[in-house]
Amino acid sequence: MVGWAGVLTFLPVATSRGQAGPPPLTLLISMGQSFAAEPEAARILLHIHNSSQQTVWLYRRARGKRPPEQLVQEENKPSITAGGSTVEVKLQPADAQAAGSVATPAEGTVLEYAQMPKPRLVRLAASGDYEETSIVRLRPAQAEGQKPIWGAYLLRLVYGATFSNGEEFQRNLGAVLWQGEVTSNAINVELRPPLPDSGGVLAGSALGPDLQPRAGIRVTLSNEQGQVIDQQVTGRDGKFSFDHLPLALYWIEGRREDATEDTFTFRHEELTHAAPTASSQLVFFPTEIYEAKKLVHKPVLLRVFDPQGQPEAGIEVDAIYSNGTVVDDVKTTTGDDGTATAELLPGRNSVSLGRHSCSQQVERIEVAPGGGADCFKFVFDCIKK
């Protein structure tokens, strides 16, 4: 927050006594097929229903659940925001006897964007429905001696969201940025071992321009059709390795995990009977960005009112950002409730509000750095041309 410096640990929002909880959502999940064969990832459809009588806003897309973030707020600097939606995987053997022999629990890892993230806000109307797909790497439980327990499992997902500035949406705009947790139904999924000929190995290193190892690189393995199979984040040694692969053509893609610009790079490797093992290097060079589309944008919810406090529909909004090198121009129009969403670059933006027969009104906003979303309220006074 402006005016002080320190470290703030961002924890999930808890509902105070006497304070209304989040609007209820219902989560149903399904899979296109009832099994997942190693090393393929499962594609799970999340069907979210808004059981309440009010519109809510969801953050797309959900990532795997992570430890609470620490926000470092610097004196006289804009407040940093954090947050987003998450998916947590609950996986356990369906058979009671198999469950009793577990030494290491089963786990599911939510796979993320292979390329630069492009988050946005999604409007979910009262009694409305929304669907999103999570790509999940499912790993079986292990018995003593690290023996995989293949077979039938019960799978549930927990969909959640929390934001460091979530209450500002309600307080400033009268809009609900949904926060909370909801657990899905349980579905049956069969985890199958790799096929006998799945002996391929793809390994390698992420390197900087000095050819030294780079940590914090998200490496994605995809099949020839571009479907994500698995991911790893490199450690200090910069290494990654994927095994139990069928002999085929694969894409190895990488990006810097914490980058706010496009650092995506890729290579393709083919595993054959003659060469079932391949080594690949991903080299990351400094990037010079001249195009706005190469920078990570932040979802922003805007709401326009008239001087009497009534929502203004049909207001044309034009947000312009410029830092001397990159120029971004984003246009949107408010809906019946006066709201509009836009993906803007953090920093100073000039926002023009207009309507046919009204003079243009120009405002300045400061989109906060960091993750999550931001919100802004405008009062539009139509002065006839």
Side-chain angles (χ1 to χ4, degrees):
M1 299 178 181
V2 176
W4 64 280
V7 177
L8 171 66
T9 300
F10 169 47
L11 297 172
V13 175
T15 303
S16 304
R17 183 176 298 179
Q19 179 182 355
L25 299 183
T26 303
L27 174 61
L28 294 176
I29 62 172
S30 61
M31 289 176 57
Q33 56 188 26
S34 59
F35 65 90
E38 184 85 7
E40 294 291 334
R43 282 157 175 79
I44 305 173
L45 180 66
L46 286 70
H47 182 100
I48 300 173
H49 176 72
N50 181 5
S51 307
S52 74
Q53 296 305 306
Q54 60 180 317
T55 295
V56 300
W57 294 88
L58 303 180
Y59 184 96
R60 178 188 177 99
R61 82 178 195 199
R63 306 173 68 187
K65 194 167 185 178
R66 299 181 175 201
E69 287 187 63
Q70 286 193 331
L71 302 181
V72 179
Q73 304 285 11
E74 298 183 24
E75 189 174 358
N76 299 322
K77 295 286 187 179
S79 297
I80 300 174
T81 62
S85 56
T86 60
V87 169
E88 184 179 5
V89 182
K90 303 289 187 180
L91 183 66
Q92 63 183 46
D95 179 72
Q97 183 175 354
S101 65
V102 170
T104 303
E107 62 179 28
T109 303
V110 178
L111 306 184
E112 302 186 8
Y113 291 95
Q115 300 189 30
M116 184 181 73
K118 296 181 179 179
R120 61 187 179 91
L121 293 176
V122 177
R123 185 179 189 271
L124 182 55
S127 302
D129 297 282
Y130 165 72
E131 290 184 343
E132 181 175 325
T133 299
S134 282
I135 304 173
V136 180
R137 181 77 158 85
L138 301 175
R139 290 180 172 85
Q142 294 182 344
E144 293 292 341
Q146 297 185 329
K147 181 180 179 181
I149 302 174
W150 303 106
Y153 280 76
L154 289 176
L155 172 67
R156 292 181 177 87
L157 297 184
V158 180
Y159 177 83
T162 186
F163 300 87
S164 61
N165 61 338
E167 303 307 316
E168 294 180 12
F169 285 71
Q170 178 68 54
R171 185 169 60 250
N172 297 342
L173 307 187
V176 178
L177 179 61
W178 188 84
Q179 301 183 88
E181 280 192 349
V182 57
T183 302
S184 76
N185 56 309
I187 62 173
N188 292 291
V189 57
E190 181 186 356
L191 300 188
R192 297 179 179 177
L195 295 173
D197 61 350
S198 298
V201 176
L202 254 174
S205 300
L207 307 173
D210 55 1
L211 300 184
Q212 294 301 304
R214 286 295 182 265
I217 302 296
R218 179 168 290 275
V219 181
T220 300
L221 175 71
S222 301
N223 63 17
E224 186 175 3
Q225 291 72 41
Q227 292 183 318
V228 176
I229 296 173
D230 202 357
Q231 287 180 338
Q232 295 176 8
V233 178
T234 60
R236 294 176 61 183
D237 62 2
K239 294 184 181 300
F240 58 86
S241 181
F242 303 98
D243 53 19
H244 299 301
L245 302 178
L247 303 181
L249 180 69
Y250 294 94
W251 295 95
I252 298 289
E253 303 158 318
R255 64 175 172 87
R256 276 201 1 244
E257 179 83 332
D258 59 349
T260 57
E261 70 276 358
D262 189 0
T263 60
F264 180 75
T265 188
F266 65 90
R267 293 181 62 87
H268 69 270
E269 302 287 352
E270 186 171 10
L271 303 180
T272 65
H273 289 286
T277 300
S279 179
S280 189
Q281 289 186 339
L282 297 175
V283 182
F284 292 83
F285 294 96
T287 54
E288 295 184 2
I289 303 298
Y290 301 101
E291 296 178 282
K293 67 181 180 180
K294 296 289 187 179
L295 294 169
V296 177
H297 288 58
K298 186 165 191 168
V300 175
L301 182 63
L302 314 169
R303 196 168 194 186
V304 182
F305 297 87
D306 66 17
Q308 289 72 46
Q310 297 301 309
E312 283 273 34
I315 301 297
E316 297 176 353
V317 181
D318 186 1
I320 297 177
Y321 168 95
S322 176
N323 65 1
T325 303
V326 174
V327 176
D328 196 22
D329 189 354
V330 178
K331 295 179 173 63
T332 185
T333 304
T334 61
D336 293 340
D337 60 355
T339 62
T341 60
E343 290 76 53
L344 304 180
L345 290 174
R348 179 67 58 86
N349 283 255
S350 175
V351 179
S352 299
L353 307 174
R355 175 188 278 160
H356 180 66
S357 78
C358 299
S359 297
Q360 192 176 72
Q361 179 177 318
V362 179
E363 306 279 355
R364 299 286 188 273
I365 62 172
E366 192 79 30
V367 179
D374 212 341
C375 64
F376 296 93
K377 173 184 176 179
F378 302 102
V379 176
F380 180 71
D381 190 3
C382 179
I383 301 174
K384 298 296 183 180
K385 294 180 180 178

